[in-house]
Amino acid sequence: LYNAGQYRTLLRQKNKYLKQLKYKQQTDRVLLGVLSDQLAAFGAEVIIARQHFLKHLEGWAADLHQEISLNRESLQLDTTVEEAYQALFKLYQDNEQREIEQGTTIYGPHRDDIRFLVNNKNVQAFGSQGQQRTTALSVKLAEIDLMKEQTGEYPLLLLDDVLSELDTIRQTHLLTAIQNKVQTFLTTTSLSDVARQLINEPTIFEIEHGTLNKEEVK
């Protein structure tokens, strides 16, 4: 948190100075080099911490993803920037003129994104809707396990219409993956495709014409 705070402060300072250089309000690039050096140092700490966190999260998410996809798919999480201090500082040096022309810092952890790989393919670019939704759910459910690990208890889980883009098998295995683990409120337009016999003692409410009715589960 300290490193992220320092990074944000330096990023604002550097971007302000880049704009001053762009509009000829400053001409000395020595301070720009100092700011880039400090920004690379704190940026590297943020990148490394993020990578450690993603690997930890991946451990939970990968197991959940395999369970929901019936072991047909493997999930990996990765970042688009792997370089730490030296490589990041070199990027600043090599692109100093570009940054001045644009008046902003164009590299660093504030520009990073997470890649989600399913069977070694980028699911955001090549995955089906079902795979993308499964990936998103796996990561969210993994966050729940991390919360339990850190705090000793599960949070309340709210899932709003997550079943619509999953096939029947994925729907059922999603529900079995979370049952008996965390109290969950789930909204959906239909339960017709879910193998209810696999879900232990659900409480089901149906809303019809604005009226809420509790369904008797047999």
Side-chain angles (χ1 to χ4, degrees):
L1 183 60
Y2 170 78
N3 290 327
Q6 292 295 108
Y7 181 84
R8 285 192 294 268
T9 298
L10 286 163
L11 182 63
R12 287 193 296 268
Q13 293 175 357
K14 181 182 175 182
N15 285 343
K16 180 179 179 180
Y17 199 73
L18 283 168
K19 286 181 174 62
Q20 291 175 345
L21 289 168
K22 177 180 179 179
Y23 296 111
K24 312 302 182 183
Q25 297 169 345
Q26 296 284 351
T27 58
D28 184 5
R29 297 193 181 187
V30 174
L31 178 57
L32 179 61
V34 172
L35 290 172
S36 293
D37 180 45
Q38 294 177 343
L39 193 66
F42 285 108
E45 295 289 346
V46 173
I47 290 171
I48 292 171
R50 180 179 290 163
Q51 288 176 336
H52 286 318
F53 173 78
L54 284 176
K55 282 301 175 186
H56 193 39
L57 185 65
E58 182 186 282
W60 294 104
D63 290 343
L64 286 162
H65 194 99
Q66 278 199 324
E67 185 173 351
I68 296 172
S69 66
L70 291 179
N71 296 317
R72 291 178 297 182
E73 299 169 0
S74 60
L75 174 66
Q76 293 175 288
L77 278 63
D78 195 9
T79 53
T80 56
V81 176
E82 298 180 357
E83 301 88 346
Y85 164 69
Q86 293 292 342
L88 190 55
F89 186 42
K90 188 175 188 303
L91 281 174
Y92 292 146
Q93 290 178 316
D94 293 345
N95 293 275
E96 185 177 90
Q97 186 59 38
R98 258 186 85 198
E99 291 192 329
I100 292 174
E101 291 171 357
Q102 296 187 25
T104 190
T105 305
I106 58 179
Y107 293 102
H110 65 291
R111 298 279 189 176
D112 286 356
D113 201 357
I114 301 172
R115 292 188 302 170
F116 300 93
L117 306 178
V118 171
N119 295 340
N120 294 318
K121 293 183 179 180
N122 189 332
V123 71
Q124 291 152 297
F126 303 105
S128 65
Q129 283 188 325
Q131 288 176 322
Q132 291 175 355
R133 181 58 67 93
T134 301
T135 298
L137 287 171
S138 298
V139 174
K140 286 298 180 184
L141 295 177
E143 291 177 7
I144 290 174
D145 287 316
L146 279 178
M147 291 178 192
K148 173 66 163 57
E149 184 181 80
Q150 295 294 321
T151 67
E153 59 184 28
Y154 284 111
L156 187 67
L157 177 61
L158 308 177
L159 297 176
D160 183 20
D161 195 26
V162 300
L163 301 182
S164 59
E165 295 178 8
L166 300 178
D167 58 34
T168 302
I169 294 176
R170 289 176 192 259
Q171 286 182 10
T172 301
H173 280 79
L174 165 64
L175 298 179
T176 55
I178 61 178
Q179 72 173 350
N180 301 325
K181 177 189 287 187
V182 53
Q183 185 178 6
T184 304
F185 287 85
L186 169 72
T187 68
T188 182
T189 56
S190 174
L191 286 172
S192 59
D193 292 331
V194 178
R196 295 195 194 184
Q197 68 272 19
L198 298 179
I199 313 301
N200 295 332
E201 300 180 358
T203 302
I204 301 175
F205 295 91
E206 182 177 0
I207 300 177
E208 186 174 4
H209 303 301
T211 301
L212 180 69
N213 299 303
K214 183 178 180 181
E215 180 178 313
E216 293 297 327
V217 180
K218 298 179 182 181

